[in-house]
Amino acid sequence: MRKIEHIMQLDIDYIKSFSEMETCNEGVFFYNKEMPTYYDANHAHIWTKITEPDMFLKKIKGFYQSKSLIPRLYLYNVEENQSCIEALEIHGFQYECFTDDVQCWNGEYAQLSHNPAIQIERVTDANREEALAVEMSIATFGEPALIEKAFEQTYHSPHFTYYLLRVDGKACCTANIFISGNQGRVESVATIESYRGRGLIGYILQHIQQESVKQGLEYLWILPINEQVAKVYDKANFKSIGKLKSIHAFTEGKSIHQIRQDA
């Protein structure tokens, strides 16, 4: 995929901002023992071809179990790792398949009508509780207590900047940008339920796009969780550069599909 090396490196930098990381020949192991149920923080990310699947899967299980964490991994090089995928069940892993769209801003702004009721501001200590309340209302983000803990960690990181959108003074939409080097990634786009369907996401995304230009970013990425969300981002000129296939494997707990369905 064109530019794939950029998005994969940004993904590593992103997770490193709230996780510990250990490298291995096959990829990287992320973990955060203080937030064991925070999926993003506790996964192995594997990109290379696995030559000895049985030994490798035992290594992953041993690593996470030694830290009292559930073994979880993302396997990206799907075509070359069929033998590893076939070995997952033997080693007690369940797994699910994903084909995710990867979108990058094309540098053009969408035409949005002027709405004097909309105000967008950076999240600071003065309005952080309002922004957190918006995020905590989104079931797909996880349990409220987990959202709050993750928010506190990323909010204080110099790599993250949060934005809050108000309509007639009411806090109703948030998003943040993670920046590493000359790249940025939009994360945690959220709108409270009663304000959905009004096109508010387009305004906050355009604000982040404008900020990315001011900071001289070469790439601005966004990763939609499904096709419906991808269409929303496409309207804001985040265009697909291709599909990323992956396997998500885990020994216990809910699958990502289950979490999204329950939400």
Side-chain angles (χ1 to χ4, degrees):
M1 185 196 301
R2 182 171 59 92
K3 303 177 185 176
I4 189 59
E5 66 276 10
H6 298 292
I7 187 62
M8 298 310 288
Q9 182 58 53
L10 186 62
D11 201 45
I12 292 174
D13 295 341
Y14 169 71
I15 302 172
K16 277 168 55 179
S17 67
F18 49 80
S19 290
E20 299 293 325
M21 184 185 83
E22 290 193 19
T23 61
C24 62
N25 292 333
E26 300 86 359
V28 294
F29 292 177
F30 289 111
Y31 63 96
N32 186 329
K33 293 191 288 185
E34 294 184 1
M35 294 191 287
T37 60
Y38 186 21
Y39 275 27
D40 286 353
N42 295 286
H43 271 88
H45 288 245
I46 308 302
W47 299 283
T48 63
K49 182 178 180 179
I50 307 304
T51 56
E52 298 184 44
D54 291 326
M55 185 179 299
F56 172 70
L57 293 174
K58 288 178 182 178
K59 180 169 70 172
I60 284 185
K61 289 178 69 175
F63 177 86
Y64 284 99
Q65 289 171 347
S66 71
K67 300 181 183 302
S68 299
L69 296 169
I70 296 171
R72 300 187 181 100
L73 68 104
Y74 285 107
L75 187 64
Y76 291 100
N77 199 354
V78 175
E79 288 78 9
E80 292 189 354
N81 277 309
Q82 289 303 310
S83 60
C84 186
I85 295 170
E86 292 169 2
L88 286 170
E89 291 186 9
I90 298 173
H91 290 270
F93 285 90
Q94 306 173 59
Y95 69 91
E96 54 190 339
C97 305
F98 289 94
T99 302
D100 295 318
D101 204 8
V102 177
Q103 293 175 299
C104 189
W105 181 42
N106 67 2
E108 300 177 1
Y109 297 111
Q111 296 298 315
L112 301 176
S113 59
H114 176 65
N115 188 336
I118 292 177
Q119 175 188 348
I120 301 173
E121 59 200 50
R122 182 170 177 170
V123 175
T124 65
D125 290 348
N127 58 10
R128 59 186 289 197
E129 292 301 322
E130 293 175 284
L132 178 58
V134 174
E135 286 205 7
M136 291 175 67
S137 73
I138 310 301
T140 52
F141 285 3
E143 295 294 327
L146 182 60
I147 295 172
E148 182 174 13
K149 197 167 186 178
F151 179 92
E152 289 301 315
Q153 191 163 356
T154 54
Y155 170 75
H156 288 101
S157 167
H159 297 287
F160 288 83
T161 304
Y162 280 80
Y163 295 95
L164 175 67
L165 181 148
R166 300 180 186 274
V167 176
D168 292 323
K170 169 70 174 179
C172 54
C173 189
T174 60
N176 73 68
I177 181 173
F178 168 76
I179 295 176
S180 179
N182 67 343
Q183 298 192 91
R185 191 164 106 184
V186 183
E187 292 287 334
S188 304
V189 181
T191 305
I192 59 177
E193 188 172 2
S194 59
Y195 281 82
R196 294 174 190 169
R198 304 188 187 188
L200 299 177
I201 285 177
Y203 288 90
I204 199 166
L205 289 178
Q206 186 167 109
H207 185 84
I208 290 175
Q209 289 166 348
Q210 292 167 342
E211 292 299 313
S212 75
V213 171
K214 292 178 183 178
Q215 298 193 46
L217 299 186
E218 185 174 356
Y219 299 110
L220 181 62
W221 304 91
I222 200 165
L223 305 179
I225 62 172
N226 55 46
E227 291 184 6
Q228 182 179 356
V229 173
K231 291 178 181 178
V232 173
Y233 297 159
D234 181 79
K235 291 179 180 178
N237 284 324
F238 284 93
K239 302 302 179 181
S240 175
I241 67 161
K243 303 287 185 179
L244 183 63
K245 293 182 179 180
S246 64
I247 296 291
H248 170 238
F250 53 103
T251 58
E252 59 182 283
K254 289 184 177 181
S255 69
I256 294 174
H257 284 309
Q258 286 176 313
I259 293 171
R260 292 175 181 175
Q261 289 173 357
D262 292 346

